[in-house]
Amino acid sequence: MNRYTFDEITEGMQESFEVEVTEEMQKGFTQISGDINPMHLDGEYAKAHGYEGRLVYGMLTASFISTLGGVYLPGKYCLIQGVEVKFAKPVYIGDVLLVSGKVTELHESVGQLTIKVTIKNQDGTTVCKGKLKAGVMTE
């Protein structure tokens, strides 16, 4: 876990990590969210609607933005204040995602930063993008 303080963060700073989306993650998200839409649970149903198979929940994909902020940038001192997200392409179980963030704004007066977030699959296709606004607490 990174422990960047606000003074250590600069505009343009970047962090990233990879994660494989697993069946267990999908099942856990189903239990937590209560979303039983067949697009996420029934591969044949999803295929009948033009997809390769069951779709990973968009919000499961977006949840990795929390990992980006809370573990990588800024890490331990992160307090997420807002997230904007757009789902660009479907994600499937077994996809390996590269979650990347780049600091685009620093607001020193309030100790807040803005991070541009991009999530790409193993083929380099952007599947999700957005913005993370986070406060950076003091030690």
Side-chain angles (χ1 to χ4, degrees):
M1 175 181 295
N2 291 329
R3 299 165 188 232
Y4 294 116
T5 63
F6 190 84
D7 293 338
E8 295 173 318
I9 298 169
T10 58
E11 196 169 308
M13 191 171 183
Q14 299 181 60
E15 289 285 349
S16 62
F17 68 96
E18 280 190 350
V19 60
E20 182 176 350
V21 182
T22 66
E23 178 69 34
E24 293 75 25
M25 290 174 180
Q26 183 83 342
K27 285 180 182 177
F29 198 88
T30 301
Q31 290 177 338
I32 290 167
S33 70
D35 182 348
I36 56 169
N37 186 298
M39 293 297 279
H40 305 298
L41 304 177
D42 183 342
E44 293 307 312
Y45 180 86
K47 286 178 184 176
H49 289 84
Y51 295 96
E52 295 174 22
R54 293 183 302 150
L55 299 177
V56 169
Y57 294 96
M59 294 306 290
L60 172 56
T61 301
S63 74
F64 298 121
I65 296 172
S66 180
T67 307
L68 178 68
V71 177
Y72 293 93
L73 185 61
K76 180 179 178 178
Y77 305 119
C78 179
L79 182 59
I80 294 177
Q81 298 171 332
V83 175
E84 294 177 23
V85 65
K86 294 185 181 187
F87 304 109
K89 296 285 183 181
V91 174
Y92 300 97
I93 294 167
D95 280 356
V96 177
L97 304 178
L98 177 64
V99 182
S100 303
K102 180 179 180 178
V103 177
T104 58
E105 297 176 42
L106 294 168
H107 304 282
E108 190 172 347
S109 63
V110 292
Q112 184 187 66
L113 53 89
T114 302
I115 298 171
K116 177 183 174 187
V117 179
T118 306
I119 302 177
K120 296 183 177 189
N121 68 14
Q122 64 279 352
D123 299 323
T125 301
T126 298
V127 297
C128 183
K129 54 188 172 181
K131 274 191 215 176
L132 167 64
K133 290 196 179 237
V136 183
M137 300 180 298
T138 57
E139 294 181 55

